[in-house]
Amino acid sequence: MGICESRGNTDKLSPENKDNPNQNNIAASQQNQNNASQIANNPITSRINNTPNVPNNINSSKIGNNNISSLNNTPTPNKSSIQQSFVNTSNVQNVVETKVSTVIKKNTSLIKIPNFTCIKSFTCHKDAIVCVIELSSGAIATGSYDKTVSIWNLENQNPLDTFITSGRVFCLLEFEPGIILCGTDNNEIEMWDINSATSEKKFIFKKHLLWVNCLTKCNNYLFASGSNDSDIIVWNYEKREPNKILSDHEEGVLSLITLKDGKLCSGSSDMTIKIWDIEVGECVATLRGHTRWVKCVYQLLNGNIISGSDDRTIKIWDQNNCLATLSEHKKSVRILCQISENLFASGSFDKTIKIWDINTKKCVQTLTGHESNVICLLLHSSGLLISSSGDRNVRVWKNQ
């Protein structure tokens, strides 16, 4: 069981390993033993396991993608529509919560017994796809180790836009409509404007000493970045300068989110989770319990925090104590995402996505099909679950 402690001196913890999203680890997905016989006879499992493999070929001038308009009635956004319909909020968590709540309400009848199947898979980059975000227009943006960012809709074969960054892309954030921030391995945050006919790099935020792993919007004028230099920098977006530097982690900051109350929550390779008050610029709580790097943190709609780690576990926290530990994955847990009021999904380096019941703490479905590490998950406002992987593929899942 994990513990929480108020801010104070902590012993330095050394990370034991560092995963590579492109590694070809072979790991079979494993169902919950208590549900093994039930799942084995479920047509869901059979349907998923028979998902055809997707070739890894790619044409640099035109990236393939089949039309799924019959499966999703979301209008096709064009280049100009990327700048429309931004949710005005003082906290990015409210944006996520609003989208998830809307999807939950619309699909209440579908989420009681999950039956996610892959309805689309396409190769859209030349290297691992490490981040996927939904833009205010409903389009999605994908960032890759191939040093490109592409803008897509879910019904068009070709990207709406693609721009080349100066380094491998580790994280993306749309701060305002059509303005995308990219964290890269050259220690910088690039600001791109995709509203014009040709995407243009507008500014570069420089302060970190090592690569930028994560970005989150704090409010309408602040955003924060986490880096392998162990610092979290809170930036003033308008002034283009640091507002505060938070330096309580002993190793790299791997994940960063904004909580509903405006605080920050970070996961680190020092194996801790920290809660930060950005008004005073201090760590107000440290959660301990993971035995390896904390790769991802996420706040559920009920206020609890979930975390995934290289120790292969998922932990559920109430910001003070560890409430539960889930141990179904065979390798590092890389990404977490709530997909309904009672369900969340986890992506792992064991190449699987697992669907979890929040109330019972049980795995209720395992999705297979990716041929490498599952690195990113996104619940789209259409209700579709989108995943990306080291296999260079994006998969689209629908709860049938």
Side-chain angles (χ1 to χ4, degrees):
M1 177 172 290
I3 60 174
C4 170
E5 62 184 33
S6 60
R7 188 183 181 211
N9 293 329
T10 57
D11 295 333
K12 183 170 182 178
L13 300 173
S14 298
E16 299 183 27
N17 72 323
K18 181 176 181 181
D19 289 284
N20 183 342
N22 291 313
Q23 66 185 357
N24 292 319
N25 294 324
I26 301 175
S29 60
Q30 179 179 359
Q31 300 292 343
N32 187 299
Q33 293 182 358
N34 294 332
N35 297 323
S37 60
Q38 178 182 353
I39 299 297
N41 297 315
N42 195 320
I44 298 172
T45 307
S46 144
R47 208 177 316 170
I48 294 173
N49 288 337
N50 290 328
T51 303
N53 292 328
V54 180
N56 286 332
N57 61 314
I58 184 168
N59 187 322
S60 60
S61 63
K62 195 171 196 180
I63 303 173
N65 180 7
N66 296 328
N67 193 313
I68 62 167
S69 58
S70 62
L71 300 169
N72 186 349
N73 294 323
T74 305
T76 302
N78 54 35
K79 177 74 174 182
S80 61
S81 70
I82 295 177
Q83 52 191 322
Q84 299 174 353
S85 66
F86 180 69
V87 180
N88 183 16
T89 175
S90 61
N91 190 327
V92 70
Q93 178 68 28
N94 294 336
V95 179
V96 177
E97 183 177 354
T98 300
K99 287 184 177 181
V100 174
S101 298
T102 302
V103 174
I104 291 168
K105 190 172 182 180
K106 185 167 59 177
N107 295 301
T108 300
S109 62
L110 298 176
I111 63 178
K112 294 180 181 179
I113 303 175
N115 180 16
F116 284 90
T117 57
C118 182
I119 61 172
K120 179 67 181 174
S121 178
F122 57 97
T123 302
C124 57
H125 283 278
K126 296 180 180 180
D127 207 336
I129 306 168
V130 295
C131 43
V132 180
I133 62 171
E134 182 176 3
L135 303 179
S136 53
S137 65
I140 63 170
T142 55
S144 171
Y145 279 1
D146 65 9
K147 301 183 181 181
T148 68
V149 174
S150 291
I151 313 300
W152 307 80
N153 64 66
L154 296 179
E155 300 183 18
N156 198 309
Q157 294 184 18
N158 303 311
L160 302 173
D161 192 14
T162 296
F163 56 86
I164 301 173
T165 61
S166 59
R168 294 190 301 168
V169 180
F170 282 3
C171 50
L172 295 172
L173 171 68
E174 183 184 35
F175 190 85
E176 57 180 314
I179 303 297
I180 298 180
L181 303 178
C182 310
T184 68
D185 67 352
N186 62 359
N187 315 339
E188 299 173 345
I189 303 166
E190 299 181 7
M191 184 176 75
W192 287 80
D193 185 349
I194 62 172
N195 290 311
S196 56
T198 303
S199 296
E200 183 179 356
K201 188 189 298 185
K202 291 290 188 178
F203 188 77
I204 299 176
F205 295 85
K206 296 182 179 181
K207 186 67 175 180
H208 283 297
L209 302 178
L210 292 173
W211 53 90
V212 180
N213 292 314
C214 40
L215 293 165
T216 184
K217 185 175 181 180
C218 305
N219 51 44
N220 282 341
Y221 63 94
L222 296 177
F223 72 92
S225 57
S227 166
N228 257 42
D229 62 14
S230 79
D231 284 342
I232 297 169
I233 298 180
V234 180
W235 300 86
N236 186 306
Y237 174 77
E238 294 297 332
K239 295 181 178 179
R240 309 287 197 259
E241 64 184 20
N243 177 273
K244 287 184 176 67
I245 298 179
L246 312 177
S247 303
D248 206 48
H249 277 299
E250 299 177 0
E251 301 290 346
V253 180
L254 305 180
S255 54
L256 186 64
I257 60 171
T258 302
L259 301 177
K260 298 180 197 178
D261 61 6
K263 293 184 177 68
L264 295 180
C265 177
S266 58
S268 169
S269 50
D270 66 12
M271 297 177 275
T272 69
I273 299 164
K274 290 183 181 289
I275 311 296
W276 306 84
D277 185 330
I278 63 173
E279 294 296 325
V280 296
E282 292 183 353
C283 173
V284 295
T286 299
L287 307 179
R288 297 182 179 278
H290 283 296
T291 58
R292 291 192 177 183
W293 295 7
V294 180
K295 284 291 185 66
C296 50
V297 289
Y298 187 95
Q299 186 173 35
L300 299 173
L301 295 180
N302 63 14
N304 288 339
I305 294 170
I306 50 178
S307 58
S309 168
D310 278 350
D311 63 15
R312 307 179 184 181
T313 70
I314 299 166
K315 290 185 180 291
I316 304 176
W317 311 81
D318 65 0
Q319 299 194 34
N320 291 291
N321 300 293
C322 180
L323 306 177
T325 299
L326 314 181
S327 305
E328 287 286 322
H329 280 295
K330 291 182 172 294
K331 289 188 178 295
S332 172
V333 180
R334 177 61 172 77
I335 189 69
L336 297 163
C337 173
Q338 185 161 7
I339 56 176
S340 79
E341 184 178 4
N342 299 312
L343 300 172
F344 73 87
S346 59
S348 169
F349 280 21
D350 65 13
K351 308 178 189 177
T352 70
I353 301 166
K354 290 187 180 291
I355 310 298
W356 301 86
D357 187 300
I358 293 173
N359 297 320
T360 65
K361 315 294 189 297
K362 301 293 185 182
C363 175
V364 293
Q365 189 180 3
T366 298
L367 312 182
T368 60
H370 279 297
E371 298 177 355
S372 186
N373 312 323
V374 178
I375 302 174
C376 193
L377 293 173
L378 168 70
L379 178 64
H380 191 268
S381 57
S382 64
L384 299 173
L385 178 64
I386 299 172
S387 60
S388 71
S389 167
D391 62 12
R392 304 176 296 162
N393 290 333
V394 165
R395 285 182 173 263
V396 181
W397 309 83
K398 185 175 182 180
N399 195 2
Q400 303 285 7

